[in-house]
Amino acid sequence: MKREARIRPAGFYKVLGPEGLAALVAPQKTREDVALARKLCRGVREVLDLACGYGRIALPLASCGFHVEGLDLDAALVRRARREAKGLPLGYRVGDMRRLPYGNGSFDRVLCMWSGFQHMLTRADQRRCLREAVRVLRPGGRAYFEMTDGGTAAIEVRLRREGRGPGRRLAEWDLRGASIRCFLHNRATLAALLPLPGA
């Protein structure tokens, strides 16, 4: 369980809670993300929303008729999402992206929006997550992971100055009195994760 403590940004979510986390996202960003998710899922039905949080993406997708499963490590966020999901084709579980509680070939799309993937601080855990996403996809399915571009000039300068860990890719951000760690990829570090052995 030590390993999960490194990954789970529990203090961040405990300080902010579902309402504080929701307040971090501008309504326009959510509208754009939902529009992108709908486009990525066009023509399919079964969608897995990883690090689903309070249902920011899953709820609107389910309202459009997609069957969505949401997974998040934080039980308080999942409880909030479940309260909002009345009557929608939507299920939620508390769980770990590195060990998905779904069978092989369960989904047409896997989405991981916002910063969920970046909370995994080791390449080994990132590969586990990606392998699991591939495992639960049906033939022809696709997975989409959103992340901060750690290759921008400003972020590269900051990582050279403040970054930690292998390649100085680990950063700590402070948001509204809460602190969270992220692994910020650039093109080279992301390419080094692939291809996935065993996927």
Side-chain angles (χ1 to χ4, degrees):
M1 285 300 166
K2 263 187 180 175
R3 187 173 201 90
E4 285 192 28
R6 283 198 336 243
I7 294 166
R8 183 177 183 175
F12 177 78
Y13 291 117
K14 190 169 189 172
V15 170
L16 291 179
E19 287 73 26
L21 187 60
L24 290 176
V25 190
Q28 181 62 27
K29 164 75 170 150
T30 295
R31 284 192 293 275
E32 291 168 1
D33 287 350
V34 170
L36 174 62
R38 287 181 65 183
K39 181 178 178 182
L40 296 174
C41 296
R42 189 175 294 139
V44 302
R45 178 160 164 72
E46 304 293 330
V47 179
L48 174 59
D49 182 13
L50 295 177
C52 65
Y54 55 88
R56 187 175 74 95
I57 304 298
L59 285 162
L61 281 182
S63 295
C64 296
F66 295 98
H67 181 267
V68 185
E69 289 288 322
L71 182 92
D72 200 281
L73 275 173
D74 192 89
L77 293 175
V78 169
R79 278 194 301 275
R80 155 91 182 258
R82 283 180 179 147
R83 281 197 304 272
E84 304 288 326
K86 303 171 189 125
L88 292 172
L90 180 56
Y92 286 107
R93 292 190 195 189
V94 175
D96 186 330
M97 293 193 294
R98 298 164 304 155
R99 289 182 291 282
L100 296 177
Y102 307 102
N104 295 349
S106 297
F107 300 97
D108 302 303
R109 294 288 183 271
V110 174
L111 305 177
C112 187
M113 305 297 282
W114 213 3
S115 60
F117 185 74
Q118 295 172 168
H119 296 325
M120 287 177 288
L121 304 181
T122 69
R123 290 182 175 102
D125 286 330
Q126 293 164 11
R127 284 188 186 100
R128 281 187 196 99
C129 173
L130 293 173
R131 274 196 298 269
E132 280 290 274
V134 169
R135 179 184 67 77
V136 300
L137 281 171
R138 293 178 174 149
R142 293 184 178 187
Y144 296 94
F145 288 80
E146 179 186 21
M147 60 190 80
T148 300
D149 181 358
T152 65
I155 290 179
E156 290 288 2
V157 167
R158 183 173 175 181
L159 287 172
R160 280 195 297 276
R161 189 177 62 239
E162 303 170 19
R164 294 182 306 243
R168 301 182 70 83
R169 302 311 303 178
L170 295 178
E172 192 160 324
W173 307 106
D174 291 318
L175 295 167
R176 298 192 184 185
S179 179
I180 193 163
R181 287 183 180 175
C182 294
F183 188 105
L184 298 176
H185 280 284
N186 58 24
R187 286 184 182 270
T189 62
L190 200 53
L193 288 179
L194 307 167
L196 297 171

